[in-house]
Structures are given as structure tokens and as C-alpha cells.
Amino acid sequence: MSSSTIASGAPGIPARWTSSAKSGVGTSINAASEVSFTLSHGIVNEVYFPREDSACIRDMGLIVTDGENFFSEEKRHAIHDVETVEDGVPAYILTNTCREGNYRITKDIVTDPLRDTLVQRVRFEVLKGKKEAYSLYVLLAPHLGNRGGDNNAWLGDYKGVPMLYAQRDNLCVALACSEPWKKRSVGYVGKSDGWRDLHRHKQMTWEYERADEGNVAMTAEIDLTHANPDCVLALGFGRNDTEAGHRAWASITDGFEEIQKRYVKEWHDWQESLISLNSPKERVGELYRISAAVLRMHESKRFPGAMIASLSIPWGFSKGDDDIGGYHLVWPRDLVESSGGLLALGADLTASRVLKYLLITQEHDGHWSQNMWLEGIPYWKGIQLDQVALPILLIELCRCHKALPAQVAHHYWKMVRKAVAFLVQNGPDTQQDRWEEEAGWTPFTLATEVAALVAAAEFAEEYGEKAMAEYCRQTADAWNDRIEDWTYVTGTPLPNR
């Protein structure tokens, strides 16, 4: 048993993220809850708060030991099954069955629609041997505010309820359980963390109270002696430990059934507002509902109309604190394409919010950043012209769907005008290859530019700018005529194959 209250091995090994191969994503559709989560390998991994571009948790999973020889981590040593409670509702049931046949763990996972809390109902079943022979532990790796380093972790309580906390700057997470903890500890990853302790000793021998300014992990043993077959784990988030602890305990007090019922109903009501799709083909309706939910979950609650490309960090195992960008950012290309999908589903209000967001984040010279944080701050510095053309096409699509409010249409005309000016000044016949991610032009980029100019011409005529309309059409025709010249290649390895 460790006698020190301060964990050793600071600051731990360099922080890394986890797999972007997700088996599920989830969030409450209620704007009162700003927590989003992802699933992979049978566990919760990246959790985002208070924004969809701010990952705060690397992963959270369970470990089973027998105190002597047996060590089993559910994400590595179990067979995983993932279900949803209803088609198109991102409320999940994870079933992890030990590959050696010793146990089964069933987890129901949702976020609390009324609070910033992720809630898991856990059932641990022994399949071989006696229940009292096993111990169950929860491991949590906080990476608050997109950073695995410089996190502080400690043991504490909220109004006498024992919890584990982690904080960095003004972000805090609290881990609470509906059943008592038998032991708790915090430590530095790869040095004094609970995984290392359990893997080596098959039981918790370290009980550190603090681990500051490092890559930290939190570990706790759940008391399995209670009569209730289920326990509830809650991750509460807030600006400080009091807020986070309050939310975690409030969600547990409400009860998992009530939270799940509210969560499912709100998603069900939204799904019912969409266009109905009845098809005799197997699973078409189910996939339709899932696709709709995935699109909707990526819209920001703090910045309406902003949709990140993906709740994931690509190639996360190799990504550290200094290279976090990628998919949990707004890409105008992905934003427009997702919005087009939502229009096809009948979610016109969401598409209208996207247009407003694009209007607000357009740069003064008419372009949009290659990718950006939710408030519009560019991340990568490149400019891709299809991401300038596609917003014009979204406006045209909204007009066709009658989802463009007439009273604000003039604002969008100004947006189109600026975007067109940027396109014609930097288009393919200007030889500005530097705008593309790689030198050269793609058929997709050329197609979107030509189509955007044609759509802009229609808009210009509506506003009495006939000369501009004619210029847009003539430019579109000229670029269209030269597509083969720009994209047909000779004397390179590709055509010589």
C-alpha cells in the first residue's frame, strides 16, 4: 500500500488520443446539455464539453481482476456488441463479454438532457466462479480542453459524497457512482496510474490523493457487495469542482431510468418531425434514422448552425497536445454537404441556421477558412476554392426548398457577391495553384466553381444586376470549356499505366 498522498512519476508519459474508428456517437438533442460522447472498442472514449470542438476525456472503461492472477480490460479482452434502444436515437447498450468466459458487462449510456453529465448504468455479471471473487474498477483518462498534459487530478467529495476530480484551467470533471467506492486513486499515466497498478498487482495497492500538472488518470474500485445488480456512473462537467460534482450527483439522484426516458423521447420527437421514409428494403428505414441523427449530433449547441466534420481525432494514437486539429473542426465543405443532407430529410430549420453561420464566418474578402474552430478562428491556413463555391450552392438549394427567409435574403446576396468576387479573382484561369491543398485542380473543385457561378447569376438577376449575371454565366462557360485542358494529363506515370 502506498503511504504517500502525492502520486509519483510526474508528469507521466506524453499524452496521446485514441482511435477514431467509432462505433457510436451521442448527445442529448436538448441544448441544456453540452456534453457529447463517442464509443469505440466497447467503451466510452472521447467526450466533448462544453463545445463540440473541445475534447475533455480520452477514454473511460472498466477492468476486472480476481486479486491474484486474473486481469481483464473490457476494451481489450472482451467481445463487444453495440445496440441502440430505438432506431435513430443515440442511446446505447454496450455488452462486453469476457473472451475467457468469466464475466459480462452491460452498459446503458446517455447524457442527461437537463445537465452537463454523461451517465452510464453498469451491470456486472459473473459467468464463471463466484461474484465475490472478482473486483470491478473504473479507469478515466481526462484530457481537458483538448490537452492531455497539464491536468490536475485529486480525490474529493461533493457535500460528503466521495468523488474523483480533474481540472485544467476553467474546465472540471467529477466522477461519481451510485454505489460506494471501495478504493480511489489518481496518478500519472505510465508511471503511477491505476492501470499500471492493477496490471502489476491484480488489485489496487496505490491510493494517491493528488496528481498535478501532468498526463493523469483516475481509478476507483466499485463496491460489488450491494444488493442492486446495477450501479450508475456519472461524469459531471463544470467550470469548477463544485459545479461538476453537483451535476454528477444530481443526475444520479434523478435516476437513470428517468434520464434515459427523457433523452429518448426528445430524440424520438425530433425524428418524427422529419420526412417519413417507408421502404420494403431491409434496414433502409433504420439506416435513414441513424444517418439523420449522426448529422444532427454534429451541430453545435453554443454556435447554432456550426457543424463539425466529426466527433473524433483522426490518427489519435499518434496525436499529442501540439497536433489536435482535424475533424473536430468546422470544414465549410463538410458543413454544406451535411446541411444538404438535412434539407433532404426535411430539417429546414437546421439548414437555415447553417446559412446564418456561414454568413457570420465569411472572411472580409469573400472566402471561408479551410477549417476553423466553432467561433470562426482558422486552424489550418490553407484556402480551398470548393469551400468558397459550396456555400453559394447551399443558398441556391435552400431557395429551391423554400428554406431561405425572404426578409433576410438580401444578406445572403451580399454573401454570394463577395464569394463570387473571390472565385473569379482566384479561380483556375488565374493560375493560383497555391490556394489548393495540393498543387493542381480537381474535377470536383472545378465543378463546384462552375455550378456556383451559374447559381450566382440567377441570384444577381433577381437583384437587378444583369451585367454581373452575364459575367458569371460567361465565366462559367469559359471554365467549363477548359475542364479537359486543366485535368487531362500526358507524359506522367498515371496515364502511362
Side-chain angles (χ1 to χ4, degrees), residues 280-345:
K281 294 184 179 180
E282 185 179 0
R283 296 199 67 204
V284 168
E286 175 189 352
L287 294 174
Y288 170 73
R289 295 297 176 190
I290 292 172
S291 299
V294 169
L295 289 174
R296 182 64 175 80
M297 279 186 283
H298 284 80
E299 183 184 4
S300 172
K301 295 170 184 175
R302 286 198 169 190
F303 297 87
M307 299 174 69
I308 63 171
S310 174
L311 286 163
S312 67
I313 297 171
W315 308 284
F317 290 124
S318 62
K319 297 290 185 180
D321 288 348
D322 298 324
D323 188 14
I324 57 172
Y327 296 158
H328 66 297
L329 296 164
V330 177
W331 293 68
R333 177 193 302 113
D334 300 72
L335 176 62
V336 169
E337 291 173 344
S338 296
S339 182
L342 287 164
L343 269 175
L345 301 172

Side-chain angles (χ1 to χ4, degrees), residues 46 111 134 178 187 249 347 367:
E46 285 132 13
T111 57
Y134 294 95
S178 61
W249 191 238
H367 83 277

Side-chain angles (χ1 to χ4, degrees), residues 100-374:
E100 297 183 30
N102 291 339
Y103 66 83
R104 180 186 297 115
I105 295 172
T106 305
K107 297 183 290 189
D108 299 84
I109 305 174
V110 295
T111 57
D112 188 335
L114 301 182
R115 302 177 184 89
D116 295 323
T117 312
L118 172 66
V119 190
Q120 299 184 66
R121 180 172 59 189
V122 178
R123 174 167 292 188
F124 177 69
E125 301 174 79
V126 173
L127 305 179
K128 185 188 299 183
K130 296 182 178 180
K131 183 177 180 180
E132 50 268 26
Y134 294 95
S135 297
L136 181 65
Y137 306 89
V138 56
L139 274 73
L140 176 67
H143 278 38
L144 292 160
N146 282 325
R147 292 189 66 83
D150 304 319
N151 282 249
N152 303 306
W154 71 96
L155 307 184
D157 69 88
Y158 175 78
K159 308 294 185 182
V161 179
M163 298 187 185
L164 297 89
Y165 292 95
Q167 183 150 6
R168 192 179 75 81
D169 296 335
N170 61 342
L171 290 174
C172 186
V173 61
L175 171 60
C177 185
S178 61
E179 301 300 330
W181 302 119
K182 292 186 73 173
K183 293 181 179 180
R184 295 175 293 160
S185 185
V186 296
Y188 295 102
V189 175
K191 303 294 183 178
S192 53
D193 62 283
W195 187 95
R196 191 178 184 89
D197 185 19
L198 293 171
H199 189 261
R200 180 183 300 174
H201 303 115
K202 308 302 184 287
Q203 57 183 294
M204 281 185 69
T205 63
W206 302 339
E207 294 183 69
Y208 298 115
E209 294 181 8
R210 290 203 69 91
D212 292 328
E213 298 183 1
N215 180 14
V216 300
M218 306 148 76
T219 311
E221 181 180 358
I222 302 170
D223 189 347
L224 296 178
T225 62
H226 54 84
N228 189 343
D230 302 330
C231 70
V232 177
L233 295 171
L235 279 184
F237 292 88
R239 295 170 298 175
N240 52 53
D241 56 341
T242 305
E243 274 192 5
H246 173 96
R247 287 169 178 153
W249 191 238
S251 293
I252 287 176
T253 303
D254 269 5
F256 183 86
E257 292 80 3
E258 183 63 29
I259 291 170
Q260 185 187 53
K261 179 180 178 181
R262 185 181 298 121
Y263 180 100
V264 170
K265 182 181 185 306
E266 291 178 358
W267 268 107
H268 179 82
D269 290 347
W270 181 78
Q271 289 279 6
E272 287 298 302
S273 72
L274 304 180
I275 295 172
S276 177
L277 179 63
N278 297 315
S279 172
K281 294 184 179 180
E282 185 179 0
R283 296 199 67 204
V284 168
E286 175 189 352
L287 294 174
Y288 170 73
R289 295 297 176 190
I290 292 172
S291 299
V294 169
L295 289 174
R296 182 64 175 80
M297 279 186 283
H298 284 80
E299 183 184 4
S300 172
K301 295 170 184 175
R302 286 198 169 190
F303 297 87
M307 299 174 69
I308 63 171
S310 174
L311 286 163
S312 67
I313 297 171
W315 308 284
F317 290 124
S318 62
K319 297 290 185 180
D321 288 348
D322 298 324
D323 188 14
I324 57 172
Y327 296 158
H328 66 297
L329 296 164
V330 177
W331 293 68
R333 177 193 302 113
D334 300 72
L335 176 62
V336 169
E337 291 173 344
S338 296
S339 182
L342 287 164
L343 269 175
L345 301 172
D348 294 0
L349 289 177
T350 305
S352 296
R353 293 194 295 267
V354 170
L355 280 181
K356 179 65 69 68
Y357 177 81
L358 287 167
L359 176 70
I360 294 167
T361 56
Q362 186 180 31
E363 299 292 341
H364 70 282
D365 61 359
H367 83 277
W368 284 267
S369 301
Q370 182 179 8
N371 53 35
M372 54 189 166
W373 300 106
L374 287 169

